[in-house]
């Protein structure tokens, strides 16, 4: 099982650990692309703070993120599972998983990133600010930039089991499963169900979508569930108490679509 996650905009501070060793990151086939993004990002942020803030889409209150990016090469690094914070990662709760569940998380979870392409939870990275929606002056839009290196690396990373794709659209643009891999990929949408005047109404949730996805992954890890494919995932989620409606692909080479229905938003 491979679970694809978005990163968080907010990130924990790097602390006092050793600096980044890019050659030690997972998915070494992305090394050259990572080096190119890192070089341009650091140079941009070191040369012109105002331009960097504009390119990165940062408010005046986030000006300090530019200086942080400028010092990335020497900044302290921590495991990615400690760097990424926010709603999804709070609900996932990596820190208090059982040892068995944490080992499964380290094997199964892959976080997509505008700067690194994708990293595993054990990869040591510094805190940074660079979303997949950024368009760097030299490399261009990062979502498009990452497609070529991802196309050569991700099919192998996906292995021969389930691919559970929980990424947002911006991060999904960097790699779209194709062919046989797509056929064992499942995407998830979270819908809020309410009964109004005796009629059920459903709406897409945004903020709480992240929390539900975090709890979903946590429950799978805690149960030691490793579904072989989308159909087995549906069964596993229903066994864990989730209400799931599945839509198998209309034609080969397309992913499954899963709707997780919630009646309470929290």
């Amino acid at each position: 099982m491979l679970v694809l996650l978005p990163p968080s905009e907010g990130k924990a501070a790097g602390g006092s650990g050793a600096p980044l060793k890019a050659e030690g990151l997972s998915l070494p086939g992305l090394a050259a692309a990572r080096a190119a993004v890192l070089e341009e990002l650091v140079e941009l942020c070191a040369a012109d703070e105002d331009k960097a803030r504009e390119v990165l889409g940062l408010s005046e209150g986030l000006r300090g993120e530019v200086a942080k990016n400028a010092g990335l090469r020497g900044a302290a690094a921590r495991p990615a599972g400690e760097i990424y914070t926010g709603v999804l990662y709070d609900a996932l709760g990596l820190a208090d998983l059982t040892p068995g569940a944490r080992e499964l998380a380290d094997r199964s979870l892959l976080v997509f990133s505008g700067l690194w392409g994708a990293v595993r939870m054990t990869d040591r990275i510094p805190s940074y600010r660079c979303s997949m929606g950024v368009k760097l002056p030299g490399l261009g839009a990062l979502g498009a930039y990452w497609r070529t290196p991802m196309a050569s690396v991700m099919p192998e990373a996906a292995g021969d089991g389930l691919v559970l794709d929980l990424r947002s659209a911006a991060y999904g643009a960097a790699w779209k499963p194709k062919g046989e891999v797509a056929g064992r990929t499942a995407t998830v949408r979270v819908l809020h169900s309410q009964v109004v005047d005796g009629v059920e109404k459903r709406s897409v949730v945004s903020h709480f979508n992240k929390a539900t996805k975090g709890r979903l992954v946590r429950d799978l890890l805690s149960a030691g569930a490793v579904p072989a494919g989308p159909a087995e995932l549906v069964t596993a989620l229903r066994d864990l108490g989730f209400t799931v409606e599945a839509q198998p692909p209309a034609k080969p080479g397309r992913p499954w679509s899963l709707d997780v229905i919630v009646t309470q938003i929290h």
Side-chain angles (χ1 to χ4, degrees):
M1 178 176 68
L2 183 67
V3 182
L4 311 181
L5 298 174
S8 57
E9 287 297 320
K11 298 171 184 68
S16 58
L20 169 73
K21 293 184 178 179
E23 66 276 9
L25 297 179
S26 302
L27 307 181
L30 300 178
R34 287 170 175 151
V37 178
L38 179 62
E39 180 177 5
E40 182 170 357
L41 181 63
V42 168
E43 289 183 358
L44 170 69
C45 292
D48 188 330
E49 187 175 274
D50 288 329
K51 181 179 180 181
R53 192 161 60 85
E54 179 182 354
V55 169
L56 296 174
L58 300 178
S59 66
E60 176 66 31
L62 293 173
R63 184 176 288 271
E65 299 292 295
V66 176
K68 183 168 70 175
N69 281 349
L72 279 173
R73 295 190 188 281
R78 295 165 60 185
E82 298 176 13
I83 290 290
Y84 293 116
T85 59
V87 175
L88 188 153
Y89 292 91
D90 286 346
L92 175 53
L94 286 172
D96 60 359
L97 288 175
T98 64
R102 184 55 192 263
E103 181 181 350
L104 182 55
D106 292 344
R107 294 199 315 267
S108 304
L109 306 187
L110 196 65
V111 183
F112 271 61
S113 161
L115 175 53
W116 312 114
V119 293
R120 296 195 183 277
M121 291 299 178
T122 52
D123 285 332
R124 296 181 61 84
I125 57 174
S127 182
Y128 67 95
R129 191 74 175 227
C130 184
S131 73
M132 193 66 80
V134 164
K135 184 177 181 179
L136 292 176
L139 296 176
L142 291 176
Y145 170 80
W146 281 110
R147 286 175 198 156
T148 297
M150 287 289 184
S152 63
V153 168
M154 285 303 301
E156 180 179 355
D160 57 4
L162 169 72
V163 177
L164 175 53
D165 190 352
L166 302 179
R167 298 172 296 167
S168 58
Y171 290 90
W175 180 66
K176 295 185 184 299
K178 296 180 180 180
E180 183 270 335
V181 177
R184 48 187 168 85
T185 297
T187 62
V188 172
R189 181 174 64 164
V190 179
L191 299 178
H192 180 216
S193 173
Q194 293 177 290
V195 177
V196 179
D197 297 330
V199 178
E200 183 193 24
K201 296 185 177 181
R202 293 181 177 182
S203 58
V204 177
V205 296
S206 54
H207 178 80
F208 298 99
N209 162 65
K210 298 176 182 179
T212 299
K213 288 179 177 178
R215 287 192 290 269
L216 181 153
V217 174
R218 180 182 176 86
D219 287 356
L220 286 171
L221 296 172
S222 297
V226 186
E232 291 82 1
L233 172 64
V234 172
T235 298
L237 291 176
R238 287 173 176 166
D239 288 346
L240 290 168
F242 291 92
T243 300
V244 182
E245 295 179 358
Q247 298 176 355
K251 57 179 65 176
R254 302 282 181 84
W256 286 52
S257 298
L258 272 57
D259 285 341
V260 174
I261 315 300
V262 298
T263 55
Q264 294 182 337
I265 294 180
H266 60 88

